[in-house]
Short mmCIF file of all heavy atoms in Angstrom, two decimals:
data_model
loop_
_atom_site.label_atom_id
_atom_site.label_comp_id
_atom_site.label_asym_id
_atom_site.label_seq_id
_atom_site.Cartn_x
_atom_site.Cartn_y
_atom_site.Cartn_z
N VAL L 50 -29.56 -11.44 0.92
CA VAL L 50 -31.01 -11.50 0.79
C VAL L 50 -31.38 -11.13 -0.64
O VAL L 50 -30.68 -10.34 -1.27
CB VAL L 50 -31.71 -10.54 1.78
CG1 VAL L 50 -31.55 -11.00 3.19
CG2 VAL L 50 -31.23 -9.14 1.61
N PRO L 51 -32.45 -11.69 -1.16
CA PRO L 51 -32.84 -11.33 -2.52
C PRO L 51 -33.03 -9.82 -2.63
O PRO L 51 -33.66 -9.19 -1.79
CB PRO L 51 -34.16 -12.08 -2.73
CG PRO L 51 -34.11 -13.22 -1.76
CD PRO L 51 -33.33 -12.70 -0.59
N GLY L 52 -32.45 -9.24 -3.66
CA GLY L 52 -32.54 -7.79 -3.85
C GLY L 52 -31.46 -7.01 -3.12
O GLY L 52 -31.32 -5.82 -3.30
N GLY L 53 -30.67 -7.70 -2.28
CA GLY L 53 -29.61 -7.03 -1.55
C GLY L 53 -28.40 -6.78 -2.45
O GLY L 53 -28.36 -7.19 -3.60
N GLN L 54 -27.42 -6.10 -1.91
CA GLN L 54 -26.21 -5.80 -2.65
C GLN L 54 -25.26 -6.99 -2.60
O GLN L 54 -25.18 -7.68 -1.59
CB GLN L 54 -25.51 -4.57 -2.06
CG GLN L 54 -26.30 -3.29 -2.22
CD GLN L 54 -26.46 -2.92 -3.68
OE1 GLN L 54 -25.53 -3.03 -4.46
NE2 GLN L 54 -27.65 -2.51 -4.06
N PRO L 55 -24.51 -7.25 -3.68
CA PRO L 55 -23.52 -8.34 -3.66
C PRO L 55 -22.43 -8.06 -2.65
O PRO L 55 -22.13 -6.91 -2.33
CB PRO L 55 -22.95 -8.34 -5.08
CG PRO L 55 -23.81 -7.44 -5.88
CD PRO L 55 -24.56 -6.56 -4.95
N LEU L 56 -21.82 -9.14 -2.16
CA LEU L 56 -20.72 -9.02 -1.21
C LEU L 56 -19.41 -9.30 -1.91
O LEU L 56 -19.37 -9.83 -3.01
CB LEU L 56 -20.91 -10.02 -0.07
CG LEU L 56 -22.15 -9.84 0.78
CD1 LEU L 56 -22.26 -10.98 1.78
CD2 LEU L 56 -22.12 -8.51 1.50
N GLY L 57 -18.32 -9.00 -1.24
CA GLY L 57 -17.00 -9.30 -1.78
C GLY L 57 -16.73 -8.53 -3.05
O GLY L 57 -17.24 -7.42 -3.26
N ILE L 58 -15.93 -9.11 -3.92
CA ILE L 58 -15.55 -8.40 -5.13
C ILE L 58 -16.65 -8.42 -6.19
O ILE L 58 -16.53 -7.76 -7.21
CB ILE L 58 -14.22 -8.92 -5.71
CG1 ILE L 58 -14.34 -10.38 -6.13
CG2 ILE L 58 -13.09 -8.69 -4.75
CD1 ILE L 58 -13.10 -10.89 -6.85
N ALA L 59 -17.75 -9.15 -5.95
CA ALA L 59 -18.85 -9.19 -6.92
C ALA L 59 -19.43 -7.80 -7.13
O ALA L 59 -19.95 -7.50 -8.20
CB ALA L 59 -19.93 -10.14 -6.45
N LYS L 60 -19.34 -6.92 -6.14
CA LYS L 60 -19.90 -5.58 -6.30
C LYS L 60 -19.10 -4.75 -7.30
O LYS L 60 -19.53 -3.69 -7.70
CB LYS L 60 -19.99 -4.88 -4.96
CG LYS L 60 -18.69 -4.49 -4.36
CD LYS L 60 -18.95 -3.76 -3.09
CE LYS L 60 -17.71 -3.72 -2.29
NZ LYS L 60 -17.99 -3.27 -0.96
N TYR L 61 -17.92 -5.22 -7.68
CA TYR L 61 -17.11 -4.53 -8.68
C TYR L 61 -17.51 -4.92 -10.10
O TYR L 61 -16.83 -4.57 -11.06
CB TYR L 61 -15.63 -4.81 -8.47
CG TYR L 61 -15.08 -4.30 -7.15
CD1 TYR L 61 -14.22 -5.08 -6.40
CD2 TYR L 61 -15.42 -3.05 -6.66
CE1 TYR L 61 -13.71 -4.62 -5.20
CE2 TYR L 61 -14.93 -2.59 -5.46
CZ TYR L 61 -14.07 -3.38 -4.74
OH TYR L 61 -13.56 -2.92 -3.56
N GLY L 62 -18.59 -5.66 -10.23
CA GLY L 62 -19.05 -6.05 -11.56
C GLY L 62 -18.56 -7.44 -11.94
O GLY L 62 -17.96 -8.16 -11.15
N HIS L 63 -18.84 -7.77 -13.18
CA HIS L 63 -18.48 -9.09 -13.70
C HIS L 63 -16.98 -9.17 -13.99
O HIS L 63 -16.35 -8.17 -14.30
CB HIS L 63 -19.27 -9.39 -14.97
CG HIS L 63 -20.75 -9.47 -14.73
ND1 HIS L 63 -21.32 -10.51 -14.03
CD2 HIS L 63 -21.76 -8.64 -15.07
CE1 HIS L 63 -22.62 -10.31 -13.96
NE2 HIS L 63 -22.92 -9.18 -14.59
N PRO L 64 -16.43 -10.38 -13.91
CA PRO L 64 -15.02 -10.55 -14.30
C PRO L 64 -14.83 -10.16 -15.77
O PRO L 64 -15.69 -10.41 -16.60
CB PRO L 64 -14.77 -12.05 -14.10
CG PRO L 64 -15.84 -12.51 -13.17
CD PRO L 64 -17.02 -11.63 -13.44
N ILE L 65 -13.69 -9.52 -16.03
CA ILE L 65 -13.34 -9.13 -17.39
C ILE L 65 -11.89 -9.49 -17.66
O ILE L 65 -11.12 -9.73 -16.73
CB ILE L 65 -13.54 -7.61 -17.63
CG1 ILE L 65 -12.67 -6.79 -16.66
CG2 ILE L 65 -15.00 -7.22 -17.53
CD1 ILE L 65 -12.62 -5.30 -16.95
N LYS L 66 -11.55 -9.50 -18.94
CA LYS L 66 -10.14 -9.68 -19.31
C LYS L 66 -9.39 -8.44 -18.83
O LYS L 66 -9.90 -7.33 -18.89
CB LYS L 66 -10.04 -9.82 -20.83
CG LYS L 66 -8.66 -10.06 -21.33
CD LYS L 66 -8.66 -10.21 -22.84
CE LYS L 66 -7.21 -10.33 -23.30
NZ LYS L 66 -7.13 -10.25 -24.76
N LEU L 67 -8.18 -8.64 -18.34
CA LEU L 67 -7.39 -7.53 -17.82
C LEU L 67 -7.22 -6.44 -18.88
O LEU L 67 -6.65 -6.69 -19.95
CB LEU L 67 -6.02 -8.01 -17.36
CG LEU L 67 -5.08 -6.95 -16.79
CD1 LEU L 67 -5.67 -6.37 -15.50
CD2 LEU L 67 -3.71 -7.54 -16.52
N PRO L 68 -7.73 -5.22 -18.61
CA PRO L 68 -7.61 -4.15 -19.60
C PRO L 68 -6.15 -3.66 -19.71
O PRO L 68 -5.50 -3.41 -18.70
CB PRO L 68 -8.50 -3.03 -19.06
CG PRO L 68 -9.32 -3.64 -17.98
CD PRO L 68 -8.56 -4.83 -17.48
N HIS L 69 -5.68 -3.52 -20.94
CA HIS L 69 -4.32 -3.01 -21.16
C HIS L 69 -4.19 -1.59 -20.59
O HIS L 69 -3.11 -1.21 -20.11
CB HIS L 69 -3.98 -3.01 -22.65
CG HIS L 69 -3.93 -4.38 -23.24
ND1 HIS L 69 -2.97 -5.31 -22.89
CD2 HIS L 69 -4.75 -5.00 -24.13
CE1 HIS L 69 -3.18 -6.43 -23.54
NE2 HIS L 69 -4.26 -6.29 -24.30
N GLU L 70 -5.27 -0.83 -20.63
CA GLU L 70 -5.24 0.54 -20.11
C GLU L 70 -5.00 0.57 -18.60
O GLU L 70 -4.35 1.47 -18.09
CB GLU L 70 -6.56 1.27 -20.44
CG GLU L 70 -6.84 1.41 -21.91
CD GLU L 70 -7.49 0.16 -22.53
OE1 GLU L 70 -7.84 -0.79 -21.79
OE2 GLU L 70 -7.60 0.14 -23.76
N ALA L 71 -5.54 -0.43 -17.87
CA ALA L 71 -5.33 -0.49 -16.43
C ALA L 71 -3.86 -0.80 -16.12
O ALA L 71 -3.26 -0.17 -15.24
CB ALA L 71 -6.23 -1.55 -15.80
N VAL L 72 -3.28 -1.72 -16.87
CA VAL L 72 -1.86 -2.04 -16.67
C VAL L 72 -1.01 -0.83 -17.03
O VAL L 72 -0.04 -0.51 -16.34
CB VAL L 72 -1.45 -3.26 -17.52
CG1 VAL L 72 0.04 -3.54 -17.40
CG2 VAL L 72 -2.24 -4.49 -17.08
N ALA L 73 -1.37 -0.13 -18.10
CA ALA L 73 -0.63 1.07 -18.50
C ALA L 73 -0.71 2.15 -17.42
O ALA L 73 0.28 2.83 -17.14
CB ALA L 73 -1.16 1.60 -19.83
N ALA L 74 -1.88 2.29 -16.78
CA ALA L 74 -2.02 3.27 -15.70
C ALA L 74 -1.12 2.91 -14.53
O ALA L 74 -0.44 3.77 -13.96
CB ALA L 74 -3.47 3.36 -15.25
N ALA L 75 -1.08 1.62 -14.17
CA ALA L 75 -0.22 1.18 -13.08
C ALA L 75 1.25 1.42 -13.42
O ALA L 75 2.02 1.91 -12.60
CB ALA L 75 -0.45 -0.29 -12.77
N ARG L 76 1.63 1.07 -14.64
CA ARG L 76 3.02 1.26 -15.08
C ARG L 76 3.40 2.74 -15.05
O ARG L 76 4.46 3.11 -14.54
CB ARG L 76 3.19 0.69 -16.49
CG ARG L 76 4.62 0.73 -16.98
CD ARG L 76 4.79 0.12 -18.37
NE ARG L 76 4.38 -1.28 -18.37
CZ ARG L 76 3.38 -1.77 -19.10
NH1 ARG L 76 2.70 -1.00 -19.91
NH2 ARG L 76 3.09 -3.06 -19.05
N THR L 77 2.52 3.58 -15.56
CA THR L 77 2.79 5.02 -15.55
C THR L 77 2.94 5.54 -14.13
O THR L 77 3.85 6.32 -13.84
CB THR L 77 1.65 5.77 -16.28
OG1 THR L 77 1.59 5.30 -17.63
CG2 THR L 77 1.87 7.27 -16.26
N PHE L 78 2.07 5.09 -13.24
CA PHE L 78 2.12 5.53 -11.84
C PHE L 78 3.45 5.13 -11.20
O PHE L 78 4.07 5.91 -10.48
CB PHE L 78 0.94 4.95 -11.07
CG PHE L 78 0.82 5.48 -9.67
CD1 PHE L 78 0.29 6.73 -9.43
CD2 PHE L 78 1.24 4.73 -8.58
CE1 PHE L 78 0.18 7.24 -8.15
CE2 PHE L 78 1.14 5.21 -7.30
CZ PHE L 78 0.61 6.47 -7.07
N ILE L 79 3.89 3.90 -11.47
CA ILE L 79 5.15 3.42 -10.90
C ILE L 79 6.32 4.23 -11.43
O ILE L 79 7.21 4.64 -10.68
CB ILE L 79 5.34 1.92 -11.17
CG1 ILE L 79 4.32 1.13 -10.33
CG2 ILE L 79 6.76 1.47 -10.87
CD1 ILE L 79 4.18 -0.33 -10.71
N HIS L 80 6.32 4.50 -12.73
CA HIS L 80 7.44 5.24 -13.34
C HIS L 80 7.43 6.73 -13.00
O HIS L 80 8.44 7.41 -13.21
CB HIS L 80 7.45 5.05 -14.85
CG HIS L 80 7.84 3.68 -15.26
ND1 HIS L 80 9.09 3.16 -15.08
CD2 HIS L 80 7.11 2.67 -15.83
CE1 HIS L 80 9.14 1.91 -15.52
NE2 HIS L 80 7.94 1.60 -15.97
N THR L 81 6.31 7.23 -12.51
CA THR L 81 6.23 8.66 -12.22
C THR L 81 6.18 8.93 -10.72
O THR L 81 7.14 9.40 -10.14
CB THR L 81 5.01 9.28 -12.93
OG1 THR L 81 3.82 8.62 -12.49
CG2 THR L 81 5.14 9.18 -14.43
N ALA L 82 5.07 8.59 -10.07
CA ALA L 82 4.90 8.92 -8.65
C ALA L 82 5.78 8.07 -7.74
O ALA L 82 6.44 8.59 -6.84
CB ALA L 82 3.43 8.74 -8.25
N VAL L 83 5.85 6.77 -7.99
CA VAL L 83 6.62 5.88 -7.11
C VAL L 83 8.11 6.18 -7.23
O VAL L 83 8.84 6.24 -6.24
CB VAL L 83 6.33 4.40 -7.43
CG1 VAL L 83 7.21 3.48 -6.61
CG2 VAL L 83 4.86 4.09 -7.17
N GLN L 84 8.59 6.40 -8.45
CA GLN L 84 10.01 6.70 -8.66
C GLN L 84 10.31 8.19 -8.53
O GLN L 84 11.47 8.60 -8.69
CB GLN L 84 10.45 6.19 -10.03
CG GLN L 84 10.43 4.69 -10.11
CD GLN L 84 10.89 4.17 -11.46
OE1 GLN L 84 11.50 4.89 -12.25
NE2 GLN L 84 10.60 2.92 -11.73
N ARG L 85 9.28 8.99 -8.27
CA ARG L 85 9.43 10.45 -8.10
C ARG L 85 10.06 11.10 -9.34
O ARG L 85 10.88 11.98 -9.23
CB ARG L 85 10.23 10.80 -6.85
CG ARG L 85 9.76 10.19 -5.54
CD ARG L 85 8.36 10.66 -5.17
NE ARG L 85 8.04 10.42 -3.78
CZ ARG L 85 7.38 9.36 -3.32
NH1 ARG L 85 7.00 8.42 -4.15
NH2 ARG L 85 7.11 9.23 -2.04
N GLN L 86 9.64 10.63 -10.53
CA GLN L 86 10.20 11.14 -11.78
C GLN L 86 9.38 12.29 -12.35
O GLN L 86 9.93 13.31 -12.71
CB GLN L 86 10.30 10.01 -12.81
CG GLN L 86 11.28 8.93 -12.43
CD GLN L 86 12.72 9.42 -12.46
OE1 GLN L 86 13.14 10.05 -13.40
NE2 GLN L 86 13.45 9.15 -11.39
N SER L 87 8.09 12.10 -12.50
CA SER L 87 7.21 13.12 -13.06
C SER L 87 5.96 13.15 -12.18
O SER L 87 4.96 12.50 -12.48
CB SER L 87 6.85 12.80 -14.51
OG SER L 87 5.89 13.72 -14.98
N LEU L 88 6.03 13.90 -11.12
CA LEU L 88 4.95 13.91 -10.14
C LEU L 88 3.63 14.39 -10.73
O LEU L 88 2.56 13.92 -10.34
CB LEU L 88 5.34 14.74 -8.93
CG LEU L 88 6.50 14.14 -8.10
CD1 LEU L 88 6.97 15.12 -7.05
CD2 LEU L 88 6.07 12.84 -7.46
N ASP L 89 3.68 15.31 -11.68
CA ASP L 89 2.46 15.81 -12.30
C ASP L 89 1.74 14.68 -13.04
O ASP L 89 0.52 14.53 -12.94
CB ASP L 89 2.77 16.97 -13.26
CG ASP L 89 1.50 17.56 -13.85
OD1 ASP L 89 0.60 17.91 -13.07
OD2 ASP L 89 1.41 17.62 -15.10
N THR L 90 2.47 13.86 -13.78
CA THR L 90 1.87 12.73 -14.48
C THR L 90 1.31 11.73 -13.47
O THR L 90 0.22 11.19 -13.66
CB THR L 90 2.89 12.04 -15.40
OG1 THR L 90 3.42 13.02 -16.29
CG2 THR L 90 2.27 10.92 -16.18
N GLY L 91 2.03 11.49 -12.38
CA GLY L 91 1.54 10.61 -11.32
C GLY L 91 0.25 11.13 -10.71
O GLY L 91 -0.65 10.35 -10.37
N TRP L 92 0.14 12.44 -10.58
CA TRP L 92 -1.08 13.07 -10.07
C TRP L 92 -2.24 12.82 -11.03
O TRP L 92 -3.33 12.45 -10.62
CB TRP L 92 -0.85 14.57 -9.90
CG TRP L 92 -2.08 15.37 -9.58
CD1 TRP L 92 -2.96 15.91 -10.48
CD2 TRP L 92 -2.58 15.72 -8.29
NE1 TRP L 92 -3.96 16.57 -9.83
CE2 TRP L 92 -3.75 16.48 -8.48
CE3 TRP L 92 -2.14 15.47 -6.99
CZ2 TRP L 92 -4.49 16.98 -7.42
CZ3 TRP L 92 -2.88 15.98 -5.94
CH2 TRP L 92 -4.04 16.73 -6.15
N ARG L 93 -2.01 13.00 -12.31
CA ARG L 93 -3.07 12.88 -13.32
C ARG L 93 -3.55 11.45 -13.52
O ARG L 93 -4.67 11.25 -13.97
CB ARG L 93 -2.61 13.48 -14.65
CG ARG L 93 -2.60 15.01 -14.61
CD ARG L 93 -2.31 15.64 -15.95
NE ARG L 93 -0.86 15.71 -16.13
CZ ARG L 93 -0.20 15.19 -17.15
NH1 ARG L 93 -0.84 14.56 -18.09
NH2 ARG L 93 1.11 15.30 -17.22
N VAL L 94 -2.72 10.46 -13.21
CA VAL L 94 -3.11 9.06 -13.42
C VAL L 94 -3.66 8.43 -12.13
O VAL L 94 -3.98 7.25 -12.11
CB VAL L 94 -1.93 8.25 -14.00
CG1 VAL L 94 -0.90 7.93 -12.94
CG2 VAL L 94 -2.41 7.01 -14.69
N SER L 95 -3.81 9.22 -11.06
CA SER L 95 -4.31 8.69 -9.78
C SER L 95 -5.52 9.49 -9.31
O SER L 95 -5.73 10.62 -9.72
CB SER L 95 -3.19 8.71 -8.73
OG SER L 95 -2.68 10.01 -8.57
N THR L 96 -6.27 8.86 -8.41
CA THR L 96 -7.50 9.47 -7.90
C THR L 96 -7.24 10.28 -6.63
O THR L 96 -6.16 10.20 -6.03
CB THR L 96 -8.55 8.39 -7.58
OG1 THR L 96 -8.07 7.59 -6.50
CG2 THR L 96 -8.85 7.53 -8.79
N ALA L 97 -8.26 10.99 -6.20
CA ALA L 97 -8.18 11.78 -4.96
C ALA L 97 -7.89 10.89 -3.75
O ALA L 97 -7.28 11.34 -2.79
CB ALA L 97 -9.47 12.56 -4.76
N LYS L 98 -8.32 9.65 -3.82
CA LYS L 98 -8.06 8.71 -2.71
C LYS L 98 -6.55 8.52 -2.52
O LYS L 98 -6.05 8.47 -1.40
CB LYS L 98 -8.74 7.38 -3.02
CG LYS L 98 -8.76 6.41 -1.89
CD LYS L 98 -9.61 5.22 -2.31
CE LYS L 98 -9.56 4.12 -1.30
NZ LYS L 98 -10.30 2.94 -1.75
N VAL L 99 -5.80 8.42 -3.62
CA VAL L 99 -4.34 8.28 -3.54
C VAL L 99 -3.72 9.61 -3.09
O VAL L 99 -2.73 9.62 -2.35
CB VAL L 99 -3.76 7.84 -4.90
CG1 VAL L 99 -2.24 7.83 -4.86
CG2 VAL L 99 -4.28 6.47 -5.27
N HIS L 100 -4.30 10.71 -3.50
CA HIS L 100 -3.76 12.04 -3.15
C HIS L 100 -3.90 12.32 -1.66
O HIS L 100 -3.17 13.16 -1.13
CB HIS L 100 -4.47 13.13 -3.94
CG HIS L 100 -4.41 12.92 -5.42
ND1 HIS L 100 -5.31 13.49 -6.28
CD2 HIS L 100 -3.56 12.21 -6.19
CE1 HIS L 100 -5.02 13.14 -7.53
NE2 HIS L 100 -3.97 12.35 -7.49
N ALA L 101 -4.83 11.63 -1.00
CA ALA L 101 -5.01 11.72 0.46
C ALA L 101 -5.14 13.15 0.96
O ALA L 101 -4.54 13.53 1.96
CB ALA L 101 -3.87 11.00 1.17
N GLY L 102 -5.91 13.96 0.25
CA GLY L 102 -6.16 15.32 0.71
C GLY L 102 -5.10 16.34 0.33
O GLY L 102 -5.23 17.52 0.66
N LEU L 103 -4.05 15.92 -0.33
CA LEU L 103 -3.02 16.87 -0.75
C LEU L 103 -3.50 17.68 -1.95
O LEU L 103 -4.21 17.17 -2.81
CB LEU L 103 -1.73 16.14 -1.16
CG LEU L 103 -0.97 15.38 -0.09
CD1 LEU L 103 0.26 14.71 -0.70
CD2 LEU L 103 -0.54 16.30 1.04
N THR L 104 -3.10 18.93 -1.99
CA THR L 104 -3.36 19.73 -3.18
C THR L 104 -2.32 19.36 -4.23
O THR L 104 -1.30 18.73 -3.92
CB THR L 104 -3.25 21.23 -2.86
OG1 THR L 104 -1.90 21.52 -2.48
CG2 THR L 104 -4.22 21.64 -1.75
N HIS L 105 -2.55 19.80 -5.45
CA HIS L 105 -1.58 19.52 -6.52
C HIS L 105 -0.23 20.15 -6.17
O HIS L 105 0.82 19.55 -6.38
CB HIS L 105 -2.11 20.05 -7.86
CG HIS L 105 -1.22 19.73 -9.01
ND1 HIS L 105 -0.27 20.61 -9.48
CD2 HIS L 105 -1.11 18.60 -9.76
CE1 HIS L 105 0.38 20.04 -10.49
NE2 HIS L 105 -0.12 18.83 -10.68
N LYS L 106 -0.25 21.33 -5.62
CA LYS L 106 0.99 22.02 -5.26
C LYS L 106 1.75 21.23 -4.18
O LYS L 106 2.97 21.06 -4.25
CB LYS L 106 0.68 23.43 -4.76
CG LYS L 106 1.89 24.27 -4.46
CD LYS L 106 1.50 25.67 -4.04
CE LYS L 106 2.73 26.50 -3.72
NZ LYS L 106 2.37 27.87 -3.30
#
Side-chain angles (χ1 to χ4, degrees):
V50 291
Q54 294 295 318
L56 298 175
I58 63 174
K60 70 177 163 192
Y61 296 137
H63 296 291
I65 59 171
K66 182 179 175 189
L67 180 64
H69 296 293
E70 298 83 7
V72 176
R76 185 178 300 119
T77 300
F78 187 78
I79 290 167
H80 289 293
T81 58
V83 175
Q84 293 181 16
R85 307 297 197 264
Q86 294 292 312
S87 174
L88 293 171
D89 183 53
T90 304
W92 171 272
R93 285 187 275 124
V94 76
S95 57
T96 66
K98 190 173 173 184
V99 174
H100 304 158
L103 295 179
T104 64
H105 184 265
K106 184 177 179 181

